[in-house]
Amino acid sequence: MTTEELEELLVAGAEGPRLDYKGPCKWHVNFFAKDILAMANMEDVSSIVIGMAEDGNDYKRVGLNEEELASFKYDDMRDQFSKFAQPMVDFTVAFPTDKGGLKYA
């Protein structure tokens, strides 16, 4: 995902059926399973942007620190998630940077 593609998701500023924001956190399969499964049922591409903190009724950009980023290891994520869906849900993970230099998953 490019910075421009990330910016399009961040500028949306509101969640919807194909876009979900999560605050800064480490990967934990139980925390993300419901969202990944729900988005897997969508026809088009869906995104979960991790690094957006809720601020009242809005969201603010906070990004992820290096420890949080390092927890999103694709192979580990797929292995852990395999117990939730058969056949396996197809998902990817990317680590884009916004225009201000903050990193997201």
Side-chain angles (χ1 to χ4, degrees), residues 3-95:
T3 296
E4 291 74 26
E5 292 167 331
L6 173 65
E7 286 294 330
E8 287 180 25
L9 296 174
L10 298 179
V11 169
E15 297 176 309
R18 292 188 176 92
L19 178 60
D20 191 23
Y21 294 138
K22 297 289 184 198
C25 62
K26 293 180 183 178
W27 164 258
H28 192 283
V29 69
N30 293 332
F31 180 71
F32 288 99
K34 181 182 80 166
D35 298 304
I36 293 171
L37 287 170
M39 290 186 166
N41 290 321
M42 304 300 287
E43 229 173 84
D44 295 324
V45 174
S46 300
S47 299
I48 300 172
V49 178
I50 306 153
M52 292 287 282
E54 271 192 80
D55 187 15
N57 292 331
D58 295 320
Y59 292 90
K60 66 179 185 176
R61 300 174 182 211
V62 293
L64 298 176
N65 63 38
E66 293 302 319
E67 185 179 352
E68 292 162 339
L69 285 166
S71 72
F72 290 87
K73 296 177 182 166
Y74 181 73
D75 290 337
D76 293 344
M77 294 167 68
R78 284 196 53 88
D79 289 347
Q80 293 169 10
F81 195 76
S82 67
K83 68 181 179 182
F84 288 93
Q86 290 298 327
M88 184 61 182
V89 171
D90 185 30
F91 67 90
T92 60
V93 63
F95 304 101

